[in-house]
Amino acid sequence: MQILLVAATSMETAPFLQQKPAADHLITGVGCPSAIYHITQRLHQIDYDLVIQAGIAGSYTNSLNLGDVVAVTKDNFADVGVLEKNKFYTIFEKGFTGEDEFPFSKGWLNNDNQLLDQIFIKKVTAVTVNTVTDDELRIRQLVSKYDPQIETMEGAALHYVCLQNSIPFLQLRGISNYVGERDKVKWKIAESVEQLNEDLIKIYDALTT
């Protein structure tokens, strides 16, 4: 199986690549614009059977512990829309596009890959934002609108590009912090990266051996 491993930063997949230096991988840089560009470029060069995006994420819920690893079933560009009088409206609600216009389904970028049912990792709903969220009003808006469990800065980019190109994909995330907590002392980046890479290696080995 030809697999592409994608991450925003080299730090997030360094332990994996130490053990699997020959694995095909791509560091996109942080944020959706860079992720969309670099993933699209690579997919036009090589035919992959699967793209795996791995990285850290913030959690909206205490039901996830710092260091937990999760797999995303659906994602969206959560801050693409209109903010009026402290109320957020999606592009679908404003009628700029249909909520079922491909690759969206009811406003979401869904991953229907059967691999999700075969891996042992918790499944979650995600939102992707251009600015890491710490404002209480914005947190309430996102929770009310989407009821997400985690937040990233590149996840929806993966979903969007792979759905557009009909390429199977997985988005795996290690929980490094709770959304709104800006005290980095309370974050668990190293622990989340370690566990993420342990699970990533198990999944990669199962798919390639």
Side-chain angles (χ1 to χ4, degrees):
M1 176 179 281
Q2 185 82 351
I3 299 174
L4 174 64
L5 174 63
V6 174
T9 66
S10 58
M11 172 272 296
E12 291 167 295
T13 52
F16 173 89
L17 292 173
Q18 287 176 358
Q19 292 196 33
K20 310 286 184 181
D24 202 347
H25 66 282
L26 174 67
I27 304 301
T28 65
V30 175
C32 280
S34 183
I36 289 173
Y37 173 78
H38 288 291
I39 296 172
T40 299
Q41 287 289 98
R42 182 63 68 86
L43 295 185
H44 286 171
Q45 296 168 356
I46 301 174
D47 291 329
Y48 290 100
D49 300 303
L50 178 69
V51 180
I52 301 176
Q53 184 184 61
I56 59 175
S59 175
Y60 282 93
T61 172
N62 290 329
S63 65
L64 294 175
N65 298 316
L66 299 187
D68 282 355
V69 178
V70 298
V72 177
T73 58
K74 62 180 183 178
D75 207 326
N76 62 57
F77 300 104
D79 53 7
V80 177
V82 177
L83 187 62
E84 292 180 342
K85 298 179 181 179
N86 290 328
K87 187 172 182 179
F88 179 77
Y89 300 89
T90 68
I91 57 174
F92 311 109
E93 291 170 326
K94 283 296 183 178
F96 295 131
T97 188
E99 66 175 5
D100 290 315
E101 184 171 330
F102 186 82
F104 294 93
S105 177
K106 296 183 179 178
W108 288 91
L109 296 162
N110 295 321
N111 187 358
D112 296 324
N113 191 337
Q114 293 182 350
L115 277 175
L116 281 171
D117 297 325
Q118 300 172 24
I119 61 177
F120 49 85
I121 294 174
K122 298 177 184 177
K123 313 305 186 295
V124 300
T125 296
V127 290
T128 297
V129 295
N130 289 288
T131 303
V132 173
T133 308
D134 72 349
D135 179 74
E136 287 298 327
L137 173 60
R138 186 64 182 134
I139 290 173
R140 291 196 299 271
Q141 289 172 338
L142 289 169
V143 170
S144 175
K145 182 71 65 177
Y146 302 108
D147 191 26
Q149 290 157 287
I150 70 166
E151 171 182 290
T152 79
M153 295 184 71
E154 303 86 19
L158 171 82
H159 288 226
Y160 185 85
V161 172
C162 287
L163 287 169
Q164 290 280 21
N165 289 277
S166 300
I167 296 176
F169 63 95
L170 293 174
Q171 182 188 167
L172 306 178
R173 296 287 176 173
I175 305 302
S176 61
N177 62 285
Y178 292 107
V179 174
E181 178 55 71
R182 304 314 303 161
D183 182 357
K184 293 292 182 67
V185 173
K186 298 180 180 179
W187 289 31
K188 300 293 183 182
I189 294 177
E191 293 87 344
S192 64
V193 168
E194 179 181 5
Q195 188 59 56
L196 170 67
N197 281 261
E198 286 183 11
D199 289 346
L200 178 59
I201 289 168
K202 292 177 184 176
I203 292 171
Y204 187 89
D205 285 345
L207 293 172
T208 57
T209 57

